[in-house]
Amino acid sequence: MAQPIRMTFKLSVILMLVSCAIGSPLRAQGEPFYKDKTVRIIVGFTPGGFYDRWARLLSRYMPKYIPGNPNFVVQNMPGASSVIAANYVYNLAKSDGLTVLVPINSLFLDQIAGRKEVKFDIRKFEWIGTQEKAPTMLYIRADSPIKTVADIIKASEPPKCGSTGTASTGYLVAKLMDEAFKAKINTVTGYQGGSEIDIAVERGEIVCRGMDIPPHFGREPFESWHKKGFDRHILQGGPKRDPRLADTPTLFELMDQYKTPEVMRGVTRIVLAGGEFGRPMVVGPGTPPDRVKILRDAYAKAMRDPGLIEEAKKGQMDMEHTPGEELQNLMKELMNQPRDVVERVKKVLTD
């Protein structure tokens, strides 16, 4: 009788070990990837601007819609209009869904221009979503003698405007104005963020800035400026006039006035297409598809969250959500233009 008992005992031990071996992976698979994890949002600008404000707002609402409820932290990595941050996320950060990037919406233009600082392929980022559209505008100090684009064309000395880098709104608007109207602007690059440019305008170091419309009507110092009549609005870049700039001509209206050639209008549409991307969120190439989907779903749900909507309204932050899939397709379209169009855009950006 001793031998059957020993065999039964051994069989029981083997079955128990097999059960543990099978059960452990099953338990591990059932554990959400994001449980007890921290997601970093890398923002390509300094704190205080709308890129930073949207990143922080989303960091408070996205976790509740991600299985595992991870912690979110925001890290600012300014420089070269987000190129430094984009290079970091593309080349150094792990593509595991734990590092996301909020870059400038016109980042693709630095790649089209072939700038040597670009160490990424914009087409390989995975787009998570955006929360608004961001048409452009140009403001100037009201004590400047310049009141219209015509004044800039006739000016003996170009007005001095600030920008964060070669993909920034200010830099791009200046290039388009020069190419379309021979309206020259002296662009001073290298500011770390929009807030720093606005301070420089207040100090009189520069007199103007090209920027996106939403933050100009959504934060200080602009609310105080408008009450005091500190700044004047010269033009806007959207296809139609924004109600907040009802008396300000669009770039395309001015092109009609100055009889700008059609090819330049096409170049302008591509250069200003960044406005369709608002304040986008992306992850690095090679991020597992299931995690890309989790982040996209969480982004979309956060944008419908009543708490986020209320905070955005209080902060005067425009909302017009575009899913990541749509942004992905739009970027492919922008980066697959005919060679002659790309060369013309490149010429405008680099000359």
Side-chain angles (χ1 to χ4, degrees), residues 134-138 169 173 210-213 235-238 245 251 272 275:
T136 59
M137 63 171 290
L138 175 68
T169 301
V173 167
M211 65 178 296
D212 296 335
I213 292 174
L235 62 77
Q236 55 185 305
L245 293 168
L251 199 53
L272 296 182

Side-chain angles (χ1 to χ4, degrees), residues 184-197:
K184 295 190 179 296
I185 286 177
N186 181 1
T187 302
V188 180
T189 61
Y191 289 96
Q192 293 293 293
S195 298
E196 286 76 10
I197 300 174

Side-chain angles (χ1 to χ4, degrees), residues 131-145:
Q131 67 302 108
E132 65 175 358
K133 308 293 185 187
T136 59
M137 63 171 290
L138 175 68
Y139 77 73
I140 195 165
R141 284 179 61 123
D143 57 7
S144 164

Side-chain angles (χ1 to χ4, degrees), residues 272-310:
L272 296 182
E276 295 297 309
F277 291 87
R279 306 288 186 272
M281 179 179 286
V282 305
V283 291
T287 300
D290 61 322
R291 294 173 201 171
V292 173
K293 185 178 186 307
I294 287 172
L295 291 170
R296 284 175 173 172
D297 289 347
Y299 193 106
K301 290 174 181 176
M303 290 300 296
R304 296 193 295 268
D305 189 290
L308 182 145
I309 293 170
E310 182 63 26

